[in-house]
Structure formats: structure tokens, C-alpha cells
Amino acid sequence: MGIFFIYIVKAAFSLVIFYLFYKVLLTRETFHRFNRITLLAILTLSMLLPLCKITLHPKTERYPVIVLLEEFWMATDLPTGHDPLTLPEEQTSFPWISLTFFIYLTGLLFFIIRYLWAIGSLLLLIKKSKRIHTGKLHLVIHNREISPFSWLHYLILSEKDLCECGKEIITHETAHLKKLHSMDLIVADLCIFFQWFNPAAWLLKQELQNIHEYEADEEVLNAGIDARTYQLLLIKKLLVQGTTL
């Protein structure tokens, strides 16, 4: 348990540091593809870097907080009899370590179950809707008003949106599908499962979603759709449904 917590703390620390560097150096850049790759690299490195064993020069000073955390959590993996510094009265103290681990596991299971519930609800929605297969694209048309979205190779929208602004929506969501944006979000959600307590994990996912929207909007404009018409559509969706495409 102690070794696992050391890994989680190191991963959280790495994610925060990398995210802060991104916000300072790249958040205002308009190279969306580069920013997207950078965010995915941050997610991957923050989870893999703590697994690497780095040997420091003997004279190199390590961060005292990290050292203390490592010693503390490693001590929790040792039997009480092996720790010469453990006093008898400490053995009856409140089990903070076990409580912390229980809270962490509860959060982990909660977000995994919530994610699986959302996937199940989505599959049920697809099953109950009208489906049109066009090559690799599966167009799912629902009879009630829902915000259009895409997931893997499915494009879900309402009949009303298909009739009123189907071309713009399909172009936008097809861009998401072609660029595999849903795969990015799956990676981000996997990170959130283990870092649910870390605000940087949630903020990073939001940054990734914003980049996805910028890329999809560029595809719509490059397809020849009038910019003013598209802007009015976005404003309408914000006012009526409270969400963007």
C-alpha cells in the first residue's frame, strides 16, 4: 500500500508541474495539433515517470517533502515489529493510513462506475435510435432533443438538428471522429480515475476538449461553410441547449 501511494503522489506532483508549464508556455499558442500532442504527452509522462528509478549524485539534494513522504509511506508497508522507532502507544493510534486508502479507493471506484454507467446509457441510446451507416461513420438520429456529440465511430444528433443545420453539425462532429478525439478523452478519463483528487487532471481534460473544439471548428470553416452562419449556430446552441457542438 505504501509503495502504491508513493507512486500516486509522485504522479500527481508530476502532473501538476507539467500542467503549470503548459499553462505558462503554451496555453495561448494557436498550434492546436502541437498543443494536443503536448497534453497527451503530459498525461503519459506523468503516469510513467514515477515508475522510473533515477539515481542522483550523492551531493545532489532531494526535495525534503518527497523524501519524508517516501519514508512515511514505505514505513506503512513494514510490520510494526521491524520499526525500532515505533512506540507502543503509537500502535493504538487512529488508522489514518487505512482511512486515506479507503477514501482513495472509494473515489476510484465511484468514477469508474460512473464512467461505465455513462457508456451503458450511451449504448442504450444508440440501440433505441435510428441508425444510418455511411462507410466508417454511424449516424445515430434520436427523436428527442439532445446536444449533438460523437463517440468513437458514432455521431449522435436529434432529428430537429439534422433538419435545421445537419450539414454544419455533421461536418463538425465528423472532424472529431476523423481526428480520434474520443480516444484522447478515454486516455484523459483513465488518468482521472487514478488522479480524481488532483485538479490538474480535470483541468487538463478541459484543455484537451477545448483544443478538440478548435480543431473541429477549423475543419468546418475549411469545408466552405459560411463563418457567420456557423457563429450564429454556435450562439443558438449556447442559448437553447447551454452547450457547444
Side-chain angles (χ1 to χ4, degrees):
M1 183 172 68
I3 295 176
F4 177 73
F5 264 114
I6 291 173
Y7 166 76
I8 292 298
V9 170
K10 286 183 176 180
F13 182 77
S14 300
L15 189 62
V16 170
I17 295 299
F18 286 142
Y19 176 73
L20 289 177
F21 271 108
Y22 171 83
K23 289 295 291 183
V24 172
L25 300 177
L26 297 176
T27 189
R28 296 182 180 180
E29 298 295 331
T30 57
F31 301 103
H32 304 312
R33 180 176 177 81
F34 177 78
N35 286 1
R36 177 189 174 193
I37 294 173
T38 300
L39 290 174
L40 291 174
I42 288 174
L43 281 172
T44 305
L45 287 175
S46 64
M47 301 304 290
L48 295 180
L49 195 59
L51 299 175
C52 302
K53 185 176 181 181
I54 302 174
T55 303
L56 299 174
H57 192 275
K59 295 183 179 180
T60 303
E61 294 184 2
R62 301 173 65 188
Y63 293 104
V65 175
I66 300 299
V67 174
L68 289 174
L69 283 173
E70 287 189 10
E71 292 177 352
F72 175 73
W73 289 113
M74 287 299 294
T76 63
D77 280 347
L78 296 175
T80 305
H82 287 75
D83 188 356
L85 300 178
T86 302
L87 298 176
E89 57 269 18
E90 291 179 343
Q91 299 178 20
T92 59
S93 62
F94 191 82
W96 293 106
I97 305 301
S98 300
L99 178 61
T100 303
F101 189 67
F102 174 77
I103 293 174
Y104 174 79
L105 285 183
T106 301
L108 175 64
L109 291 175
F110 170 78
F111 286 106
I112 291 177
I113 292 173
R114 190 183 72 164
Y115 183 81
L116 294 177
W117 179 271
I119 296 298
S121 300
L122 174 59
L123 294 176
L124 185 62
L125 174 67
I126 293 173
K127 183 179 181 180
K128 292 183 177 181
S129 304
K130 178 183 177 181
R131 284 169 287 177
I132 301 175
H133 302 279
T134 56
K136 295 183 179 180
L137 174 64
H138 296 245
L139 188 62
V140 180
I141 306 171
H142 202 273
N143 54 14
R144 62 183 177 89
E145 288 193 34
I146 56 174
S147 299
F149 65 97
S150 56
W151 180 70
L152 296 181
H153 53 276
Y154 292 101
L155 194 165
I156 300 95
L157 75 165
S158 65
E159 291 181 351
K160 181 180 178 181
D161 284 334
L162 180 63
C163 296
E164 293 182 354
C165 45
K167 180 181 178 181
E168 293 84 355
I169 292 177
I170 291 176
T171 303
H172 180 98
E173 296 300 334
T174 300
H176 285 307
L177 296 175
K178 288 182 178 179
K179 293 180 179 294
L180 303 178
H181 288 165
S182 58
M183 298 303 296
D184 294 1
L185 297 181
I186 289 175
V187 173
D189 285 328
L190 289 175
C191 180
I192 286 177
F193 291 160
F194 295 96
Q195 294 284 317
W196 59 266
F197 59 91
N198 189 350
W202 298 92
L203 292 173
L204 191 147
K205 180 182 177 181
Q206 185 60 56
E207 293 281 351
L208 203 53
Q209 289 176 313
N210 291 339
I211 291 174
H212 290 169
E213 294 305 318
Y214 294 145
E215 289 188 329
D217 290 342
E218 285 182 351
E219 289 292 323
V220 171
L221 298 179
N222 292 337
I225 294 175
D226 181 68
R228 181 175 177 82
T229 302
Y230 185 64
Q231 288 174 350
L232 292 175
L233 173 61
L234 294 177
I235 294 173
K236 178 182 177 181
K237 290 298 178 184
L238 282 171
L239 295 177
V240 176
Q241 297 177 343
T243 59
T244 58
L245 290 178

